[in-house]
Amino acid sequence: MGKHVISAMFKSLVLFTLIIVTSCNQKKEKTDAMSTNILLEEWTGPYNGVPSFDKMNITDIKSALEIGMEQNLKEIDAITENAEAPTFENTIVEMEKSGKSLDRVFTYYGIWSSNISSPEFRAIQGEMAPILSEFSSKISQNKKLFDRIKTVYDNSLVTPLEADQQRVVDLIYKRFTMNGAQLDDAKKARYAEINKELSTLYTNFSNNILADEESYITYLTKDQLSGLSESMIKSAAKKASDKGKDGMYAITNTRSSMDPFLTYSNERSLREKVWKNYYSRGDNGDTLDNNENVAIILKLRKERVGLLGYDNYADWRLQDRMAKTPENAMALMDAVWPSAIARVKEEVADMQAVAGKNGDKITIEPWDYRYYAEKVRKQKYDLDSDEVKQYLQLDKLTQALFFVAGELFNFNFTPVEEGTVPVFHEDVKVWDVTDKTSGKHIGLWYLDPYSREGKRSGAWATTYRSHDTFNGDKTVLASNNSNFVKPAPGEPLLVSWDDATTFLHEFGHALHFFSSDVRYPTLNSGVRDYTEFQSQVLERWLSTDKVIDQFLVHYKTGKPMPKELIAKIKKASTFNQGFSTTEYLASAIMDMKFHMADPTNIDVDAFEKETLTAMNMPKELVMRHRTPQFGHVFSGEGYATAYYGYMWADVLTADASEAFAEAPGGFYDKDVAAKMVKYLFAPRNSVDPAEAYRNFRGRDAKIDALMRDRGFPVPK
């Protein structure tokens, strides 16, 4: 045997020994990491276990994700390697049980992503996004797993399962087929590669918006505060001081700061600056510009659904939504659009008249709309939004939420003593949610109300743990998150009527979570154009007499809102509907148009302008979310071709509200409330949404109520 052969054998033996040693060391390291990484640990403590938000460390996130993914894949392997014939129990139930440690990691990951982001986290996020996408594809494109799912599905068509089990099988089977489980190997590989590319683009898109929100701050001097309220001035001073600008006043580049400034500031040039800062996020022609990201996202989405045989992304996405097709969604929006822009024309004429009467020689521009709309409101309805704010304290509104939850859902909210439940920031407060009658613990409600650096803008609801009963009764951990500008110490937080409405809206999502009465985790999933109904319908209780009389009290005197002011608010309920409907619909229609178009050589900025021009978009306002900052649609896929869902859900909301209005007990009618909880909240996704609504109303929803709500002509 030659020396070179012996040498090669020796090297191989050494390499083999190193692999064994390295493998053993890696296993030991992973075991050690598992035992010390708080992000992977099962939740312990009170209330059936809670996340250790006070102990989370960003240095643990990468290893926790890696270990969690590895564990989940092993669980999937155990399912696919089962020699027994596929059944609901040994395939679907085992899938429902899998991935729990990774789910816990994602809870922390979501907090870093949305509530306390940092450059350090964004670097990890960028690195992990394609890895997480690859992991997801390993499951969604696992042929052995899908074959088992298909066998269970096919068998269920012959011998139906229990209703909720059948729904679980149908949803899982649909999810896998929609994500390429039936493609050949070459197409599967490309499908997975596209998802990987998209994951990076989504992360970049989101981080670019956040960076522009953090960078573009307008600082004011004392002589530039004309028109602003005392509370807003104090908040702006605190924000500037926090950023090292003592003696100045900061208007941050978020909606919660921008909106009131544009409404009240008498400084037109500054209104223009703040407006341009906000609506130019992601569209400044620099390294943070998102237009190219959008173009690539659109191309990749179309290519991906093309692998499945669909002409465009919208056709693929809407097949499992209430609308079913983009044409149905467009038909609803097209029915409302003409009335919305016609109303804008009336609103602008009113504003132009007020400007002329005041001696302001201007033509209404987008940065003037809120300002002069407020003056029209005062003139037409003698209604001053700043006067209304004096009765809208966040603390009292929170109590109003609890009152409504108690009246309709029989829930009781009790503050949890600080320090007994871990939180990720000192601003976060926690309440124990119980059944009023039995005292049974239902879950915990976390509230994170204030804006801060690293927190994404807007308002949202989420769950850290959802309800199910198939593997032991799970209690709910739900969270509401807002971006109110934190008041100066000792000052109350006063909010606008719109912000108060949004506060109730997001709480509606939380009540949906707490109401869940499902057996399997998959049934907590949402149908996008339906899940907004549960939140939008709750908005209606803000203007009910019981809420107004008890909780809308003046922040200084404690006296209830005067009947005259209440009458003005109700009389002005359809005021400015042209603006609010048009800015929303423009975004929803643009979302759909982008995803029905051929993106081959698309110029995103030009497409936006040309489409809006063809729609006769009024020049005095812009889309609620311009394309380069449309995070709902381009920082992920949750709302892609689904932003219309707010209006679809609002048709249900308006129709359901009329059911309450017509009931003997009005909005607090016990029978109608019980039906709403039973048929529209508790089932989550265990029942087809259209069927669920018919169970509640006895018929399908009609658009008529929506048009009446907004003061638009009802279609004949």
Side-chain angles (χ1 to χ4, degrees), residues 80 94 281 338 341 351 492 524 589 617 646 705 716:
T80 60
E94 290 304 312
R281 292 169 301 145
I341 61 174
M351 290 188 287
N524 280 306
I589 292 172
M617 176 74 173
Y646 285 98
K716 294 180 180 178

Side-chain angles (χ1 to χ4, degrees), residues 631-658:
H632 285 75
V633 173
F634 296 110
S635 64
E637 297 193 34
Y639 281 92
T641 67
Y643 198 64
Y644 78 90
Y646 285 98
M647 177 148 287
W648 192 279
D650 213 15
V651 170
L652 304 177
T653 295
D655 194 72
S657 297
E658 290 195 347

Side-chain angles (χ1 to χ4, degrees), residues 286-297:
D286 54 13
T287 57
L288 301 174
D289 194 283
N290 269 331
N291 285 287
E292 184 61 23
N293 281 335
V294 171
I296 300 171
I297 287 169

Side-chain angles (χ1 to χ4, degrees), residues 240-341:
S241 179
D242 289 346
K243 294 184 176 295
K245 299 276 188 177
D246 288 333
M248 300 195 79
Y249 306 83
I251 306 301
T252 57
N253 203 20
T254 62
R255 183 173 291 275
S256 60
S257 190
M258 171 277 295
D259 203 287
F261 183 81
L262 295 185
T263 302
Y264 299 111
S265 174
N266 294 325
E267 304 288 338
R268 190 175 190 232
S269 61
L270 286 173
R271 291 203 309 269
E272 180 179 1
K273 181 181 180 182
V274 169
W275 183 91
K276 287 182 174 178
N277 279 351
Y278 185 78
Y279 287 103
S280 295
R281 292 169 301 145
D283 193 28
N284 290 300
D286 54 13
T287 57
L288 301 174
D289 194 283
N290 269 331
N291 285 287
E292 184 61 23
N293 281 335
V294 171
I296 300 171
I297 287 169
L298 291 170
K299 290 171 189 171
L300 289 173
R301 284 177 177 171
K302 181 174 174 61
E303 181 189 352
R304 192 184 66 191
V305 300
L307 296 171
L308 298 168
Y310 291 90
D311 289 335
N312 60 62
Y313 183 88
D315 284 339
W316 170 79
R317 179 69 283 172
L318 268 67
Q319 62 184 294
D320 63 346
R321 304 291 164 92
M322 284 191 79
K324 301 302 180 189
T325 68
E327 289 77 18
N328 288 342
M330 285 299 301
L332 170 62
M333 294 189 286
D334 287 343
V336 180
W337 179 255
S339 295
I341 61 174

Side-chain angles (χ1 to χ4, degrees), residues 197-267:
E197 293 176 47
L198 284 170
S199 68
T200 297
L201 289 163
Y202 296 154
T203 301
N204 291 343
F205 186 96
S206 181
N207 287 342
N208 286 348
I209 298 171
L210 190 55
D212 271 355
E213 287 175 351
E214 292 174 350
S215 301
Y216 289 84
I217 298 173
T218 303
Y219 290 101
L220 312 178
T221 56
K222 197 168 187 178
D223 60 346
Q224 295 175 319
L225 304 175
S226 175
L228 304 185
S229 68
E230 181 184 355
S231 61
M232 187 176 177
I233 290 170
K234 288 179 178 178
S235 292
K238 182 179 185 303
K239 183 66 72 173
S241 179
D242 289 346
K243 294 184 176 295
K245 299 276 188 177
D246 288 333
M248 300 195 79
Y249 306 83
I251 306 301
T252 57
N253 203 20
T254 62
R255 183 173 291 275
S256 60
S257 190
M258 171 277 295
D259 203 287
F261 183 81
L262 295 185
T263 302
Y264 299 111
S265 174
N266 294 325
E267 304 288 338

Side-chain angles (χ1 to χ4, degrees), residues 139-156:
I139 295 177
S140 64
Q141 296 188 356
N142 186 314
K143 186 177 185 306
K144 288 182 178 179
L145 180 63
F146 179 68
D147 286 346
R148 292 185 71 89
I149 294 167
K150 188 174 187 305
T151 298
V152 176
Y153 174 77
D154 290 343
N155 290 342
S156 75

Side-chain angles (χ1 to χ4, degrees), residues 397-696:
L397 283 169
T398 305
Q399 292 175 31
L401 300 184
F402 300 157
F403 170 75
V404 172
E407 292 292 300
L408 302 181
F409 297 82
N410 205 43
F411 292 159
N412 187 59
F413 285 73
T414 306
V416 171
E417 184 182 348
E418 288 191 27
T420 56
V421 171
V423 294
F424 53 84
H425 192 277
E426 62 182 7
D427 289 342
V428 180
K429 306 303 177 190
V430 188
W431 284 261
D432 179 19
V433 187
T434 56
D435 182 270
K436 282 174 66 175
T437 305
S438 67
K440 179 185 176 183
H441 171 66
I442 294 168
L444 293 179
W445 184 65
Y446 296 71
L447 176 63
D448 182 18
Y450 305 125
S451 63
R452 71 176 73 88
E453 192 164 319
K455 186 177 182 181
R456 70 179 175 91
S457 62
W460 66 97
T462 189
T463 49
Y464 307 142
R465 180 172 64 220
S466 296
H467 167 82
D468 62 68
T469 60
F470 85 110
N471 195 30
D473 200 352
K474 304 287 193 309
T475 58
V476 178
L477 303 179
S479 168
N480 279 133
N481 309 269
S482 302
N483 266 283
F484 297 115
V485 177
K486 194 171 187 178
E491 294 291 324
L493 174 52
L494 304 178
V495 305
S496 69
W497 187 268
D498 284 347
D499 282 340
T501 301
T502 300
F503 196 48
L504 264 77
H505 173 107
E506 296 303 335
F507 189 62
H509 285 303
L511 291 177
H512 200 187
F513 305 147
F514 289 127
S515 300
S516 176
D517 187 24
V518 303
R519 189 162 31 155
Y520 301 101
T522 288
L523 300 180
N524 280 306
S525 62
V527 178
R528 185 62 70 181
D529 50 8
Y530 179 63
T531 53
E532 290 302 331
F533 159 75
Q534 287 82 359
S535 54
Q536 287 178 191
V537 76
L538 202 75
E539 298 172 11
R540 302 305 174 103
W541 274 263
L542 179 62
S543 57
T544 59
D545 291 340
K546 288 186 178 182
V547 166
I548 291 173
D549 293 343
Q550 295 180 78
F551 305 104
L552 305 194
V553 298
H554 196 278
Y555 79 103
K556 286 184 177 177
T557 67
K559 292 182 178 180
M561 184 180 284
K563 297 297 181 187
E564 301 78 23
L565 183 56
I566 296 168
K568 291 176 186 178
I569 292 171
K570 291 186 176 181
K571 186 180 177 183
S573 62
T574 60
F575 175 74
N576 221 31
Q577 277 294 341
F579 174 83
S580 58
T581 305
T582 299
E583 68 157 5
Y584 157 74
L585 264 184
S587 291
I589 292 172
M590 186 61 66
D591 168 33
M592 200 65 72
K593 295 274 190 183
F594 264 122
H595 289 95
M596 295 174 74
D598 180 0
T600 305
N601 295 305
I602 197 166
D603 180 323
V604 171
D605 193 50
F607 185 90
E608 179 184 288
K609 289 176 182 175
E610 291 164 7
T611 302
L612 292 172
T613 299
M615 291 164 53
N616 296 315
M617 176 74 173
K619 66 179 181 60
E620 295 86 1
L621 71 162
V622 295
M623 300 158 59
R624 183 172 179 82
H625 305 285
R626 289 198 54 242
T627 307
Q629 61 219 215
F630 205 169
H632 285 75
V633 173
F634 296 110
S635 64
E637 297 193 34
Y639 281 92
T641 67
Y643 198 64
Y644 78 90
Y646 285 98
M647 177 148 287
W648 192 279
D650 213 15
V651 170
L652 304 177
T653 295
D655 194 72
S657 297
E658 290 195 347
F660 276 99
E662 295 160 2
F667 276 81
Y668 294 90
D669 189 272
K670 295 298 183 183
D671 290 339
V672 179
K675 285 179 65 178
M676 182 179 73
V677 175
K678 178 180 179 180
Y679 294 121
L680 302 179
F681 277 72
R684 299 287 279 147
N685 199 9
S686 63
V687 179
D688 179 83
E691 180 186 342
Y693 193 81
R694 283 191 291 271
N695 289 337
F696 166 74

Side-chain angles (χ1 to χ4, degrees), residues 28-73:
K28 183 178 184 301
E29 287 169 7
K30 285 181 179 177
T31 301
D32 290 344
M34 179 72 183
S35 63
T36 59
N37 193 320
I38 198 73
L39 309 185
L40 286 157
E41 290 181 3
E42 287 197 28
W43 298 341
T44 58
Y47 307 105
N48 304 128
V50 293
S52 299
F53 288 132
D54 57 334
K55 297 177 182 176
M56 56 192 250
N57 193 317
I58 199 167
T59 57
D60 290 334
I61 188 69
K62 186 178 173 183
S63 62
L65 286 169
E66 291 170 342
I67 295 168
M69 286 187 286
E70 181 182 333
Q71 288 178 340
N72 199 177
L73 291 175

